[in-house]
Amino acid sequence: MLLRHKKYLLFSLALCLCMGMNGQSQSDAKRWFAAGEYEKAKPVFAKLVKGNPRSGSLNYWYGVCLNETGEHKKALPYLEKAVERDVENAYRYIGDYYIEDGEYELAIENYEIYLDKVDPADSRFEEYTKRMEQANRELKYVRKVQKVVIVDSVILPKKHFLSAYLLSKENGSLSTTPQMIKESKTVEGTAYRTEIGDKIYYSDVDDSGQLQLYMRYKMLDGWSQPTVLEGMPEGDNNYPYMSSDGVTIYFANNSLEGLGGYDIFVTRFNTNTNRYLLPENMGMPFNSTANDYMMVIDEINELGWFATDRNQPDSLVCVYTFIPSKEKQYYDYDKDDRRKILAAANISSITDTQADGKAVQKVRKTLLEISLQNMQTEKNAPEFTFVIDDFTDYHHLKDFKSPKARELYEEWQRKGESLKKLTKQLEDQRMLYTRSSASERNRMTPQLLKLEKQQEELETEVAGMERLIRNAEIEHVQKK
């Protein structure tokens, strides 16, 4: 009898210790969970939910831990059980899960339930109201994903991304705004010059600090004053490209009406109102929740490009080359495989878009031809422009017939570079002079005067050499 009593006491003690350990473990796990240390809390909740699989709270805690540590698929059944037990926060987590999985209707449904339950004064109420609005926007575009053949892609630093656009001469030229508009106020904008060079479309900062689209046309004595493109949406407008019809313009805008970040839009000029029509979002796959911009359509060669930073680190951008569709075709959201639609919307696989192999080969051949043409053009591009007389300009050193003129020109170039450096040095010294005290100015004055004299002498020498070069060449040609 005494032995049986001792065994009962030992069993009771062990049970209490076990319960105490479990209680302590759950307390620790909840504390780690609250602190965002999901990896530490996960194994504890795994054991606890195994022992009590019907608990809504335990399923919620374990499901969140799995989701937050990258085990999304494994998290779903636990979050679903938590929703069945009507755990408030489980609705928002499972809504986030469905967003990641592209199940927008289910995400919206769970967000709505969560927002009905949560106090409007809670900080998450506003956050999840915005998430639901974003989910509705994404659903709108996922329902109408265009079928597009992607030919190629290239990833490169954002500051060099325009180099991926292999435009032929017939399609004009692209550059940054500062490269084309010297007095521009932005370092982010881009500019497009038409194929005949008579118009420039570009983005620049307006008086409110936002990027707007402008146009200038060429006049006899230079360029016109900038004209704002009327009818553009609110927000920053950037990355313009005017189609060859002179009416259709593609650009990017970062207002709230898009999917997120910059979205690509297209609009057309209305000659009756002198304004652009309501811009149309290009939709998926051209746009995403990241930044998408700089769409260019080469109608002559049936080529298109656009840039995106989706799935890229901050400093890099991906430029896709695609085949523009003469007649747009879309996936059927109600009939086609949803995962296939999402893969197309996200451009998960370029190969999967290339059903028409002959068209892809044709475009690749065209790209190669344009690349070779551009290389030849660069090879023959003028190295400089030197006026010999009213009818003759030289662009290469080999153009000089006179050896003496050629030698003088090379020396003249060296003197010109020296003059540029001296002028820059003088400008820096003058800037420093204006910021200096009276005593420092007195000390700097002799050096400034010396530099100014050197500049004046070098300018006179450079101007005189220019006349010598011209005369030597004309004299040599006339003798022949």
Side-chain angles (χ1 to χ4, degrees), residues 430-446:
R430 283 171 175 162
M431 183 62 71
L432 185 60
Y433 182 86
T434 60
R435 298 173 180 172
S436 301
S437 63
S439 60
E440 288 174 332
R441 288 182 181 182
N442 289 333
R443 180 179 57 79
M444 293 174 66
T445 298

Side-chain angles (χ1 to χ4, degrees), residues 7 15 46 184 191 227 263 347 373 401:
K7 285 182 178 179
L15 182 63
S184 69
T227 301
D263 271 25
I347 316 181
Q373 287 172 4
K401 311 298 186 295

Side-chain angles (χ1 to χ4, degrees), residues 424-462:
K424 179 67 169 61
Q425 183 184 359
L426 184 57
E427 288 175 355
D428 292 343
Q429 287 294 314
R430 283 171 175 162
M431 183 62 71
L432 185 60
Y433 182 86
T434 60
R435 298 173 180 172
S436 301
S437 63
S439 60
E440 288 174 332
R441 288 182 181 182
N442 289 333
R443 180 179 57 79
M444 293 174 66
T445 298
Q447 178 65 15
L448 275 173
L449 292 173
K450 183 180 177 181
L451 288 173
E452 287 172 352
K453 185 178 180 181
Q454 288 176 351
Q455 183 191 41
E456 185 179 348
E457 290 173 350
L458 198 51
E459 283 176 340
T460 303
E461 187 178 358
V462 168

Side-chain angles (χ1 to χ4, degrees), residues 2-15:
L2 185 61
L3 183 60
R4 185 181 300 173
H5 181 68
K6 285 182 179 180
K7 285 182 178 179
Y8 176 78
L9 286 174
L10 288 170
F11 174 77
S12 300
L13 181 61
L15 182 63

